[in-house]
Amino acid sequence: MLTRKYLFPGVIELNLQAARPLGVNIYLIDGGTEYALIDIGQDDTLGEVIDLVRGMDFPLSKCKLIIATHADADHVQALAAARVRFKTKAAAHPKAAAALESGDTVQTYASIPAQGFDIPMPPCKIDVLLNDGDEIKVGKVKLTVWSTPGHTPGQLSFKMGNLLFSGDNIYKDACVGVIDAHHGSSIPEYLKSLNRILADDAEYLLPSHGPVFRKDAKILKAAIDRLTGYQYMADFGTCAQSWPLQEAYEKDVLAGKMPEL
């Protein structure tokens, strides 16, 4: 049997357990009599994930739930296959469930034609719809569901004691999950989610990419300040709220004012 590498009591992160990158952080929540998985990754790593779980002496039949933080393919391409292999239920926010059940390759980033990227996105039945304030009981452990949209409309986070599984909301370097119109990103919603995380008493943030870290107001404020500016930048197209430069220029055009050169 593999020695279980607990990151925190009741929490094993499978990249750390495997001592190799699996593409996305996958958290096993050990409730004693049963367990749950937060995200599952892609098809090409599912076999290794299953071997790790079995190797740590967690029977597949004791998996209560596989939870999608959101519908991005790097997090959940293997969800349909894993649901069958573990004989368990899949859970997601209703807005993520729509893309997952239809196998939408655009919203899930499974297909990015302009970059020549295209992978399958098998449709997956979502058995449990998760909304803000719901509680997930896994044996002796309880997770409280947070709806934290911004990166995607269906992004979820999960509070467990002094831990917050924060998805793609914020990383240790103050970066955030991609902001993209095809993704359904919303900068104002992102700011609400980041401010909620900032105001919470969670001591540690467990993101979907990169290292777990102690919550630091400086990191969150750096992201909040940056995204606040993004709302008024052409760089973010329809995800921006306005473009002051263009608005001012249009007023000058209507007034018959020539540019100052």
Side-chain angles (χ1 to χ4, degrees):
M1 185 177 104
L2 296 173
T3 299
R4 297 177 181 179
K5 300 178 183 178
Y6 284 95
L7 183 59
F8 296 100
V11 179
I12 297 171
E13 198 287 299
L14 296 192
N15 290 258
L16 297 175
Q17 180 68 41
R20 90 166 189 87
L22 296 171
V24 64
N25 294 348
I26 302 171
Y27 296 99
L28 186 151
I29 309 302
D30 180 7
T33 56
E34 59 186 359
Y35 64 94
L37 294 169
I38 298 178
D39 284 336
I40 193 64
Q42 294 185 222
D43 284 338
D44 60 358
T45 55
L46 179 58
E48 184 171 358
V49 167
I50 289 173
D51 288 345
L52 280 170
V53 170
R54 282 175 166 158
M56 292 185 290
D57 199 28
F58 288 105
L60 299 192
S61 61
K62 295 296 183 181
C63 182
K64 179 175 184 175
L65 208 58
I66 301 176
I67 306 165
T69 57
H70 57 298
D72 280 3
D74 58 331
H75 295 248
V76 291
Q77 187 202 23
L79 187 59
R83 179 177 172 271
V84 173
R85 293 288 300 278
F86 283 86
K87 294 183 173 60
T88 190
K89 295 179 179 180
H93 187 276
K95 291 182 178 178
L100 290 167
E101 292 195 327
S102 67
D104 188 317
T105 58
V106 174
Q107 286 194 47
T108 61
Y109 270 9
S111 179
I112 311 174
Q115 295 180 340
F117 181 78
D118 188 43
I119 61 174
M121 188 62 205
C124 179
K125 176 178 171 55
I126 301 302
D127 307 283
V128 180
L129 297 177
L130 299 174
N131 290 288
D132 191 75
D134 289 349
E135 292 186 351
I136 303 170
K137 293 183 179 179
V138 184
K140 61 184 179 182
V141 172
K142 181 179 73 175
L143 300 173
T144 301
V145 177
W146 286 20
S147 175
T148 51
H151 169 53
T152 70
Q155 170 81 63
L156 293 173
S157 299
F158 306 94
K159 185 77 181 292
M160 175 179 157
N162 68 338
L163 310 177
L164 183 68
F165 297 88
S166 51
D168 277 0
N169 285 292
I170 186 74
Y171 311 128
K172 189 178 181 180
D173 60 359
C175 286
V176 300
V178 67
I179 297 169
D180 181 85
H182 292 290
H183 221 44
S185 301
S186 167
I187 299 175
E189 291 297 315
Y190 225 140
L191 287 166
K192 290 178 185 177
S193 296
L194 291 172
N195 277 296
R196 181 179 184 180
I197 295 170
L198 176 62
D200 189 66
D201 63 358
E203 188 175 356
Y204 295 96
L205 300 183
L206 292 77
S208 293
H209 298 279
V212 170
F213 59 102
R214 187 181 293 271
K215 195 179 84 172
D216 185 338
K218 292 180 181 178
I219 293 173
L220 283 153
K221 286 178 179 177
I224 289 166
D225 289 346
R226 194 172 71 253
L227 267 65
T228 298
Y230 287 173
Q231 295 181 103
Y232 310 102
M233 295 174 65
D235 305 35
F236 293 91
T238 56
C239 288
Q241 300 305 291
S242 65
W243 186 15
L245 175 69
Q246 180 66 15
E247 291 172 358
Y249 176 65
E250 289 176 359
K251 287 180 181 178
D252 288 347
V253 169
L254 289 170
K257 185 178 178 181
M258 295 295 289
E260 295 180 6
L261 301 174

